[in-house]
Amino acid sequence: MPLLENHSLKQLNTFGIDVNAKLYADILSENDLIAVFSNPVVKENKLLILGGGSNMLFTKDYDGLVLKMSIKGIDVVEEGDDVLVKAGGGEVWDGLVKYCVAKGYAGIENLTLIPGTVGASPIQNIGAYGVEVKDVFESCTAFEIATGQLKTFTKADCEFAYRESVFKGKLKEQFIVTSVTYRLSRTANLQTHYGAINAELERREIAEPTIADVSEVVAAIRVSKLPDPSTIGNAGSFFKNPIIDQIIFDDLLSRFPDIPHYPAPDGRVKLAAGWLIEFCGFKGLIEGNTGTWKNQALVLVNHGGATGQEVYRFSEKIINTVQQKFGVLLEREVNIL
Ligand code: FAD
Ligand code: EPU
């Protein structure tokens, strides 16, 4: 299996940061993984697993081996009222959503238009519009780097939480997800309460929506708020929405009565990072080649030619300002490399 040297990653990260990888290989099958790991050069280098590069900020060239996950395939492995759909880790996530919506398999229609790959979907438990991948996750198969063995993970094994899983926690950088199986349903259980979905359905005079309607509405809402990475580099929400203790929240609410907030597990409270950032005057701000998006302050953008370091420094400024104003520490959702 040939390793490419000094390979450009510019087209392989949605921020469009112009960096190179010292070594690079495209992984098309589980056998490719076995072949790559039999090369002694691999053990001498640090390793980065790359999907669609839509949740990454490169701050410098990658001084190691990048494995780009391109394992394809979508198969229905069980079909009753529930439908088990297995997809290769390198399948494009939104392609899987479109396939399922067209077949009438319900469950991931609210996750329409999220960039990236199937293999990354359990890593941060992708979520949008009231649904998270954990709600439909059945199992995944992953290659253990230390042993070269394939292991199966159930939903319980994955320890999913808001933008978290075992793969970001105690098993960080130990496994490569090669396929994921999702439990979908022929009977839709539509989630339309979140954000503007119901309002948009009403505006379109759709009284009895199908999963295709919900998918289209979610796509329209997303396009209105989020920049398209093919024209403006970005990685979606740059920070997580912070989850804080009730007692700290009570104090914030007394000082900022309009602060948006949502119930979180264990009696805690989730805040809207976009609101905090906008309140600090950052929304739509342009600083050098970077800034925040005009319609969504939580999204940092590359207006063209930004370096990863420039975007990173801007994110530090946001963290410091929000901390001073609200006493809340923002945590980056994007992986910094
Ligand atoms: P990458 O960015 O390539 O990798 C992300 C992390 O996963 C890295 O740590 C990488 O090493 C690891 N990884 C990737 N593939 C594998 C694998 N096969 N095995 C093991 N580790 C792997 N996210 C949401 O949750 N909800 C949203 O609504 C949302 N909206 C977005 C909108 C835009 C415009 C953009 C640009 C991003 C958005 N995101 C959203 C973030 C992003 O789409 C998700 O995090 C997505 O899952 C990243 O997939 P990827 O394949 O691009 O992963
Ligand atoms: N808000 C502002 N100003 C802003 C942005 C948001 O005041 O500039 C307020 C909104 O008015 C609203 C609240 O913040 O009251 C929440 O905003 P929104 O519904 O746009 O969602 P979000 O919390 O900013 C989260 C996810 C998104 C996901 C959307 C929809 C995180 C970190 N982000 O954003 O995920 O698409 O909800 O479900 O949880 C991503 O992870 O990359 C991502 C885009």
Side-chain angles (χ1 to χ4, degrees):
M1 173 104 204
L3 300 180
L4 304 179
E5 288 179 25
N6 210 22
H7 190 77
S8 172
L9 300 176
K10 189 171 181 197
Q11 304 294 330
L12 299 174
N13 72 96
T14 59
F15 252 119
I17 304 291
D18 191 2
V19 288
N20 289 347
K22 184 171 95 175
L23 296 168
Y24 176 91
D26 204 9
I27 302 296
L28 296 162
S29 66
E30 287 166 354
N31 281 341
D32 279 357
L33 280 177
I34 295 167
V36 159
F37 283 95
S38 69
N39 184 339
V41 170
V42 171
K43 287 205 171 59
E44 294 156 17
N45 282 279
K46 60 178 187 168
L47 183 66
L48 174 66
I49 309 305
L50 183 65
S54 62
N55 207 24
M56 291 194 176
L57 177 69
F58 287 99
T59 57
K60 50 182 180 291
D61 286 337
Y62 190 74
D63 185 25
L65 170 63
V66 170
L67 295 182
K68 163 89 174 107
M69 297 307 292
S70 302
I71 301 176
K72 293 288 197 289
I74 300 180
D75 296 299
V76 174
V77 290
E78 201 180 299
E79 198 164 4
D81 190 31
D82 275 4
V83 185
L84 294 187
V85 179
K86 179 178 177 183
E91 279 290 341
V92 172
W93 169 260
D94 194 49
L96 176 71
V97 173
K98 288 198 167 66
Y99 169 91
C100 292
V101 168
K103 294 270 188 187
Y105 303 157
I108 51 176
E109 55 281 358
N110 291 44
L111 304 181
T112 297
L113 231 54
I114 296 181
T117 55
V118 161
S121 68
I123 306 295
Q124 73 152 5
N125 178 28
I126 56 169
Y129 295 93
V131 174
E132 290 181 329
V133 116
K134 72 165 172 43
D135 303 328
V136 292
F137 182 92
E138 178 71 8
S139 64
C140 70
T141 306
F143 178 93
E144 188 173 26
I145 294 168
T147 63
Q149 302 287 310
L150 286 176
K151 297 204 169 167
T152 301
F153 288 79
T154 64
K155 188 194 291 202
D157 296 332
C158 291
E159 299 176 10
F160 289 124
Y162 167 64
R163 298 293 190 271
E164 286 295 342
S165 76
V166 75
F167 302 110
K168 285 178 75 178
K170 64 178 185 243
L171 299 183
K172 192 172 162 64
E173 292 169 7
Q174 294 181 32
F175 284 89
I176 302 172
V177 177
T178 55
S179 69
V180 185
T181 302
Y182 305 92
R183 181 174 289 274
L184 304 173
S185 176
R186 287 192 165 280
T187 315
N189 174 20
L190 297 180
Q191 306 292 323
T192 59
H193 54 281
Y194 189 99
I197 299 181
N198 272 330
E200 183 60 20
L201 286 167
E202 269 171 42
R203 201 186 65 77
R204 295 179 183 210
E205 298 180 4
I206 299 172
E208 290 184 20
T210 62
I211 58 171
D213 294 325
V214 172
S215 174
E216 272 178 37
V217 160
V218 166
I221 298 170
R222 290 182 66 97
V223 166
S224 73
K225 287 190 176 190
L226 298 169
D228 176 357
S230 66
T231 49
I232 303 265
N234 75 93
S237 301
F238 198 88
F239 305 99
K240 292 184 193 177
N241 284 327
I243 297 178
I244 60 171
D245 288 339
Q246 180 75 42
I247 188 161
I248 296 172
F249 173 68
D250 289 343
D251 173 55
L252 277 177
L253 186 63
S254 68
R255 290 190 287 136
F256 306 98
D258 297 334
I259 192 168
H261 55 281
Y262 316 91
D266 307 322
R268 304 181 82 208
V269 182
K270 193 194 266 187
L271 302 178
W275 187 89
L276 302 176
I277 297 168
E278 178 172 352
F279 195 95
C280 292
F282 283 102
K283 190 170 184 174
L285 193 78
I286 299 177
E287 195 166 286
N289 297 318
T290 186
T292 61
W293 185 235
K294 58 183 186 323
N295 300 332
Q296 173 42 292
L298 192 45
V299 177
L300 271 58
V301 295
N302 174 3
H303 284 295
T307 63
Q309 297 208 8
E310 193 178 359
V311 178
Y312 184 81
R313 277 197 299 274
F314 185 60
S315 75
E316 271 187 329
K317 191 168 167 181
I318 292 176
I319 290 174
N320 291 338
T321 311
V322 168
Q323 166 111 60
Q324 274 164 22
K325 184 86 199 163
F326 298 100
V328 172
L329 183 63
L330 293 181
E331 188 190 333
R332 292 179 184 87
E333 180 195 290
V334 169
N335 298 281
I336 309 296
L337 287 150

